[in-house]
Amino acid sequence: MKIFYIICLLTSFTVFAQTGTIKGTVTDGKQTIPAATVILNPTGRAIAADTDGNYEIKEVSFGTYEIIFSAVGLKTIRKKVTINSTAPVVLNVTLQEDSQALEEVVITGTMKEVSRTDSPIPVEIITPKLFKKNPTPSLFEAVGMINGVQPQLNCNVCNTGDIHINGMEGPYTMILIDGMPIVSSLSTVYGLSGIPNSLVERIEVVKGPASSLYGSEAMGGIINVITKTPYKAPQISADYFVTSWGEHSLDGAVKFKAGKATSLLGLNYFNYNVKADKNHDNFTDVTQQDRISVFNKWNFDRKENRLFSLGARYVYEDRWGGEMQWNKQWRGSDSIYGESIYTRRAELIGLYQLPTTERIFTQFSYNWHDQNSFYGDTPYMATQQVGFLQAYWDKTFAGGHNFLLGAAMRYTHYDDNTPGTADANGNNKPQKTPLPGLFVQDEWKLNDKHTVLGGYRFDYDEHHGGIHSPRVAYKFSPNNNNTLRASFGTGFRVVNLFTEDHAALTGAREVVITEALNPERSYNSNLNYVLKVPTDAVHITFDATGFYSYFTNKIVGDFDSDPTKIIYDNLNGHAISQGVSLNTDLVFTIPLKVMAGISYMDVFQKEDNGIGGKTKVQQLHAPKWSGNFIATYTFPNNFSLDVTGNWYGPMRLPILPNDYRPEYSPWFCIANLQLTKKLDYGLEFYGGVKNVFDFVPKYALMRPFDPFNKTADDPVSNPNGYTFDTAYNYASLQGRRVFLGVRYNLF
């Protein structure tokens, strides 16, 4: 009897374990598509086709599945397939061009590859096709093409800046490269400079807190730069343009194979070495820059199409701005004012899928950032090292549960010469911040119309203790033309005071820290609705989002109490970022495409005024109204015309007591035109005009004739007590300029 039971058990196990194989080729009707994404649902297994567009999914248990095929710029298709035999099932597919680009695969919202329309978290995307419509020398400027994302210059002399999402400053925006927090803290200012555009497959943006997956700093939103898989890249690519202001930008990449590995090597070089002073204040209008960046990414062929990739980047930049007669012999002196910044940066990122039947991934990154700066005669010397290690298990269970369980460890070592890294006695004490965390997420697809997502993360900081970050989201799609998403999440940011606030180092302001700072917290809710309206003449998409974020313990810099100081402390009250945004896409039957967006936001903080009430203060550099527009018309003979631009309403600016400059900026628009001609063999020429309306701020520097404040105390020449100030800024001082460029891609 026992033998009988054993035989039955073994037989049942054998039947249950029977598996088959699905394989085939992905093409676009003309050629194969290397590295196309293939997702097997409901298991959630995702692989990439090889260099010849071939894919193979092995060890698929008997049953019926849905397979999703996708590639950037092509329509995603879904195929049903049944496995009931060990013989391979051959499924060849052809992907068509997607003129509306609505079905891109996204990762950032849930850390899983899903089609954009299936994601319960709203994700916005820009691709190289989009930011080539207004060529820029860095991704810092390119992300401004997304409605609600604002690259903000914070210094009129050194031209460093940060990226605001929904009005929140740069420290609240987490910037990832291939899902790794490679760009954070000190490097946020410079991390998007020098990433070769030729290596970028797409940029994904998630607005609102995402700390339940990504931990500290993901309070305001995430910008994830997805680099190209070497399989997808052309053999050779190059892009060069020059402007009438004397800017030179070169971007290039080459692909090659070495055994079972495919490598993509990229180079980005930017140079601007023409002094311009068109507002006649004896200061450079735009910083002089000399920047070179080298990027190398490797993808390794492995059994079962398991993933293994390595990437490395090195950036060196020498930038300076200041008085027109400044040169490097005056660096650090108090005779001629200049802000000179030497930046060196190295990064390493990797992804490895364990050779197990379960989908278990490990990711790691390391970055080293060294900055040697002088702001006038004020030195700022800083070094930062960040190591990150993460492992997660990606599992699909019966009943439509897509499960994610992971652990992460981030260690930050930061040292500088400011009070931010000094103990109570003024001695140097580098910040060492270990931050371990655990996270879990379940995306439950109830049926074709309803999806629920729940997530939770626990991080532990040695100074602040345990930090909890839950998140919940819901998606309802009654049909293909209507999608409603609702989400609630939390975010946090552990203290790392040095911040990216360069006003703390410029304009002769003293940094004052009044108390031991606590970690910041945020609570966010979003409601997103997408409506597609197909007609005979035009395909219209409306994408509307309402958002509300509540911040506690917000670290604020008080610029107003004392014009000679910046006083940092935790907000004794709360801060709020709230508003709505609307994006529209119009694809006409004629060769015209239009995208436009508008945002309204109210970003402010309320602090106890000491007499039983609260004082409302509007957030600096957060316009209530803003928007963007992109229009492309394609003419016969491969000519196309692009009109792009951003517009902003009044934003509050940091003014001094009795300041003659207005507290709010005017309405303004930065518009651009570009004409492109495509030739055969991957060659194209382009040219146009940036800042067509030649807009530049009316006011820039305060007291540029006395940048070291040597006569600021003279009551006769300076009765209002003004001091040199570089922080009053809302747009670049660079006016209208013409540009010409050439691109080449050899496939």
Side-chain angles (χ1 to χ4, degrees):
M1 183 65 69
K2 289 183 179 179
I3 295 176
F4 175 76
Y5 284 136
I6 293 173
I7 292 174
C8 290
L9 180 63
L10 292 175
T11 303
S12 300
F13 178 79
T14 302
V15 172
F16 177 80
Q18 283 187 309
T19 61
T21 299
I22 307 170
K23 65 179 183 178
T25 304
V26 185
T27 72
D28 63 2
K30 298 179 181 178
Q31 59 185 9
T32 59
I33 304 173
T37 299
V38 184
I39 303 175
L40 181 70
N41 279 339
T43 69
R45 289 175 60 183
I47 65 170
D50 63 19
T51 53
D52 297 319
N54 298 317
Y55 73 94
E56 186 174 14
I57 309 175
K58 296 182 178 180
E59 298 180 1
V60 181
S61 299
F62 283 7
T64 300
Y65 300 88
E66 178 188 60
I67 306 181
I68 303 174
F69 299 88
S70 62
V72 174
L74 301 173
K75 289 184 179 180
T76 295
I77 64 172
R78 302 163 185 265
K79 296 287 187 179
K80 291 284 188 180
V81 63
T82 299
I83 305 295
N84 53 20
S85 168
T86 56
V89 174
V90 179
L91 181 60
N92 299 320
V93 298
T94 300
L95 303 185
Q96 304 295 327
E97 182 178 359
D98 185 3
S99 60
Q100 287 126 47
L102 298 176
E103 288 288 341
E104 301 99 329
V105 170
V106 296
I107 300 173
T108 310
T110 61
M111 210 180 283
K112 290 170 172 275
E113 284 195 332
V114 297
S115 72
R116 184 184 179 190
T117 53
D118 286 343
S119 173
I121 305 297
V123 180
E124 297 188 49
I125 296 176
I126 56 174
T127 66
K129 283 186 178 180
L130 190 59
F131 56 69
K132 283 178 181 178
K133 297 179 184 297
N134 177 32
T136 61
S138 73
L139 294 183
F140 174 81
E141 299 175 48
V143 295
M145 300 185 76
I146 295 180
N147 184 28
V149 178
Q150 177 185 347
Q152 177 59 48
L153 293 177
N154 294 326
C155 173
N156 273 327
V157 177
C158 63
N159 284 173
T160 52
D162 56 18
I163 297 174
H164 297 194
I165 294 181
N166 288 343
M168 301 309 301
E169 307 98 310
Y172 303 94
T173 300
M174 173 173 270
I175 300 176
L176 310 172
I177 297 180
D178 289 336
M180 292 284 92
I182 198 76
V183 182
S184 60
S185 297
L186 174 62
S187 57
T188 299
V189 178
Y190 307 98
L192 285 183
S193 298
I195 298 178
N197 290 345
S198 59
L199 296 181
V200 177
E201 178 177 307
R202 65 186 184 275
I203 299 174
E204 299 181 0
V205 177
V206 175
K207 299 174 182 176
S211 290
S212 63
L213 272 186
Y214 296 99
S216 177
E217 298 174 23
M219 290 184 70
I222 292 176
I223 296 176
N224 191 5
V225 180
I226 309 295
T227 61
K228 288 180 180 177
T229 302
Y231 303 138
K232 296 183 180 181
Q235 292 291 334
I236 299 174
S237 64
D239 189 344
Y240 168 77
F241 73 86
V242 61
T243 74
S244 56
W245 276 57
E247 299 161 292
H248 297 266
S249 179
L250 173 64
D251 194 86
V254 60
K255 179 176 72 174
F256 59 90
K257 283 188 67 70
K260 293 185 177 181
T262 304
S263 177
L264 186 61
L265 178 64
L267 172 72
N268 177 268
Y269 179 70
F270 178 74
N271 178 271
Y272 175 64
N273 195 29
V274 179
K275 296 179 182 179
D277 179 24
K278 298 194 176 183
N279 61 358
H280 306 295
D281 62 0
N282 195 42
F283 269 74
T284 53
D285 294 336
V286 182
T287 57
Q288 313 297 288
Q289 297 181 55
D290 194 16
R291 181 182 68 240
I292 187 167
S293 173
V294 180
F295 185 99
N296 193 201
K297 184 174 182 180
W298 292 80
N299 274 66
F300 299 87
D301 295 330
R302 299 178 62 207
K303 293 181 180 179
E304 310 297 332
N305 290 315
R306 293 188 178 96
L307 302 178
F308 180 27
S309 65
L310 286 173
R313 183 170 74 115
Y314 178 79
V315 182
Y316 175 78
E317 183 181 60
D318 176 2
R319 69 161 63 203
W320 75 269
E323 294 185 90
M324 295 292 287
Q325 62 271 36
W326 188 92
N327 57 51
K328 290 185 178 180
Q329 77 178 82
W330 303 111
R331 194 172 193 263
S333 75
D334 63 355
S335 299
I336 299 176
Y337 189 89
E339 297 185 0
S340 172
I341 303 167
Y342 300 151
T343 301
R344 294 180 299 162
R345 177 171 176 78
E347 303 167 350
L348 178 67
I349 57 177
L351 167 67
Y352 183 78
Q353 183 179 357
L354 298 185
T356 61
T357 54
E358 297 292 336
R359 288 172 50 81
I360 301 175
F361 300 87
T362 59
Q363 293 175 290
F364 62 89
S365 68
Y366 168 79
N367 68 75
W368 170 82
H369 188 107
D370 179 77
Q371 187 167 320
N372 179 321
S373 310
F374 273 95
Y375 299 86
D377 58 354
T378 302
Y380 176 56
M381 309 296 171
T383 303
Q384 176 179 273
Q385 298 182 74
V386 181
F388 181 83
L389 178 64
Q390 176 171 276
Y392 62 92
W393 175 42
D394 182 355
K395 180 70 174 180
T396 299
F397 292 99
H401 291 273
N402 291 312
F403 187 75
L404 199 70
L405 176 66
M409 176 66 186
R410 180 162 62 168
Y411 181 84
T412 302
H413 182 281
Y414 174 77
D415 191 18
D416 68 15
N417 62 326
T418 75
T421 54
D423 61 18
N425 298 319
N427 300 316
N428 184 52
K429 185 180 180 181
Q431 292 181 359
K432 300 176 182 179
T433 311
L435 193 63
L438 299 171
F439 58 91
V440 61
Q441 176 182 274
D442 182 21
E443 182 182 342
W444 183 16
K445 188 171 183 179
L446 303 175
N447 51 47
D448 291 338
K449 296 181 180 181
H450 301 274
T451 302
V452 177
L453 180 143
Y456 170 78
R457 184 180 180 112
F458 176 80
D459 292 87
Y460 181 80
D461 181 79
E462 60 183 355
H463 301 294
H464 310 305
I467 304 174
H468 307 271
S469 302
R471 175 172 71 162
V472 63
Y474 168 72
K475 182 178 79 74
F476 172 58
S477 297
N479 52 55
N480 292 332
N481 293 329
N482 292 269
T483 301
L484 178 69
R485 296 178 176 93
S487 63
F488 173 82
T490 64
F492 73 93
R493 177 172 174 253
V494 298
V495 177
N496 187 348
L497 179 64
F498 99 93
T499 78
E500 297 85 26
D501 198 342
H502 284 266
L505 302 166
T506 60
R509 288 181 182 257
E510 177 188 357
V511 176
V512 177
I513 304 171
T514 61
E515 61 185 357
L517 300 174
N518 295 315
E520 300 177 275
R521 299 286 312 192
S522 67
Y523 307 88
N524 172 269
S525 59
N526 280 277
L527 186 63
N528 172 257
Y529 177 61
V530 178
L531 171 65
K532 303 173 187 177
V533 185
T535 69
D536 293 337
V538 59
H539 188 289
I540 307 173
T541 301
F542 297 99
D543 189 334
T545 301
F547 59 91
Y548 178 87
S549 296
Y550 183 95
F551 296 81
T552 62
N553 285 338
K554 190 172 186 291
I555 298 174
V556 295
D558 180 1
F559 290 77
D560 302 323
S561 297
D562 188 332
T564 66
K565 298 177 180 179
I566 301 179
I567 303 170
Y568 286 104
D569 62 0
N570 283 115
L571 182 66
N572 186 19
H574 63 270
I576 288 177
S577 170
Q578 59 187 359
V580 294
S581 65
L582 173 65
N583 295 310
T584 58
D585 292 1
L586 298 91
V587 181
F588 295 86
T589 53
I590 61 174
L592 173 65
K593 299 179 182 180
V594 177
M595 291 183 287
I598 182 172
S599 292
Y600 171 82
M601 58 189 178
D602 187 19
V603 186
F604 60 89
Q605 58 198 38
K606 283 191 173 183
E607 187 165 14
D608 292 340
N609 57 17
I611 56 175
K614 292 185 181 294
T615 301
K616 180 179 178 180
V617 179
Q618 206 69 28
Q619 173 66 47
L620 295 171
H621 298 117
K624 288 197 172 184
W625 292 96
S626 63
N628 68 335
F629 53 88
I630 303 167
T632 300
Y633 188 87
T634 303
F635 297 92
N637 300 320
N638 290 323
F639 277 100
S640 62
L641 177 66
D642 299 300
V643 181
T644 62
N646 300 82
W647 56 269
Y648 301 95
M651 64 182 82
R652 181 173 172 261
L653 303 171
I655 58 173
L656 302 178
N658 302 313
D659 205 323
Y660 61 86
R661 301 171 298 182
E663 185 177 6
Y664 284 84
S665 64
W667 291 80
F668 67 95
C669 175
I670 306 295
N672 317 284
L673 293 172
Q674 177 181 259
L675 183 66
T676 303
K677 168 63 175 177
K678 292 186 177 180
L679 303 174
D680 295 332
Y681 310 109
L683 184 66
E684 62 183 74
F685 293 91
Y686 60 91
V689 181
K690 290 179 177 289
N691 196 358
V692 173
F693 302 123
D694 197 26
F695 176 82
V696 292
K698 181 178 179 181
Y699 303 99
L701 301 174
M702 172 70 79
R703 290 178 61 82
F705 52 85
D706 186 22
F708 295 100
N709 292 320
K710 292 181 178 180
T711 63
D713 295 331
D714 186 350
V716 176
S717 62
N718 189 23
N720 292 306
Y722 295 145
T723 57
F724 178 63
D725 180 48
T726 67
Y728 186 92
N729 187 31
Y730 52 92
S732 172
L733 294 172
Q734 195 170 25
R736 183 189 300 119
R737 57 204 185 277
V738 176
F739 65 93
L740 294 172
V742 58
R743 296 189 187 98
Y744 176 69
N745 290 283
L746 174 64
F747 288 92

